[in-house]
Amino acid sequence: MLYVVTGPPAAGKSSWIEGHAKARDIVIDLDRITRALTGPGAPQWNQDPIQLRVAHKARYAAMREAFEVRDEVDVYLIHTMPSAKWLARYRRMEARVVTVDPGRDIVMKRIEAMRDPDMKRVATRWYNSRRPPSHVVTYTPSRDW
């Protein structure tokens, strides 16, 4: 099974995966990949753009391979803001899309405490991309029964 875990930065996507994945499962997390490719003492977040470029290439290679074995092991993929094209691809693979969102206020506080301030821009974009319901239907009885 492929699990695509979405949500804003600092929402707890990695923590959600840690609570669900087993040792044999495949976890594709850009932060983890970047840490694996950097030297000792590199920051857990806020990586250098060169390191991120290399990590992105490794992530896409890992995704291609993991998609091939998703029937044999569970694959957990963090994809913060998948495009419509990616979501369609995930649907074709019968992926389960999980959104982790503790709420905008919590996310912004976590970013202030732990992340690069630029991540606030990413979180704002994530929240702005969430479409509110096109219309809200409320039921009003025609009479008291």
Side-chain angles (χ1 to χ4, degrees):
M1 167 65 74
L2 171 61
Y3 295 89
V4 178
V5 184
T6 70
K13 298 178 296 290
S14 297
S15 297
W16 187 90
I17 289 172
E18 285 179 24
H20 291 83
K22 299 174 292 309
R24 189 168 181 266
D25 294 338
I26 296 170
V27 175
I28 303 172
D29 175 343
L30 186 62
D31 290 333
R32 289 175 79 177
I33 292 168
T34 306
R35 282 193 309 275
L37 295 172
T38 56
Q44 185 170 359
W45 297 289
N46 308 331
Q47 297 93 353
D48 180 273
I50 292 172
Q51 296 166 344
L52 278 174
R53 189 177 82 218
V54 172
H56 273 283
K57 300 258 184 189
R59 177 179 176 261
Y60 287 120
M63 287 167 64
R64 280 192 304 276
E65 292 300 316
F67 292 163
E68 297 295 319
V69 297
R70 69 185 186 280
D71 293 332
E72 299 170 47
V73 296
D74 285 338
V75 175
Y76 292 84
L77 167 65
I78 292 180
H79 196 153
T80 297
M81 238 178 322
S83 66
K85 183 178 177 181
W86 274 109
L87 286 171
R89 184 175 183 187
Y90 297 145
R91 274 193 297 276
R92 285 192 303 274
M93 290 188 275
E94 299 179 354
R96 184 171 299 157
V97 177
V98 177
T99 301
V100 178
D101 178 17
R104 185 183 210 122
D105 291 341
I106 291 171
V107 164
M108 294 305 184
K109 286 177 185 172
R110 287 178 182 174
I111 291 171
E112 279 181 31
M114 305 183 300
R115 303 284 178 99
D116 185 298
D118 284 343
M119 286 292 109
K120 280 188 174 184
R121 196 169 24 89
V122 177
T124 298
R125 193 172 75 215
W126 189 88
Y127 282 106
N128 289 344
S129 74
R130 309 294 291 173
R131 291 189 183 135
S134 58
H135 63 282
V136 177
V137 177
T138 57
Y139 173 75
T140 306
S142 60
R143 62 184 85 133
D144 291 330
W145 295 96

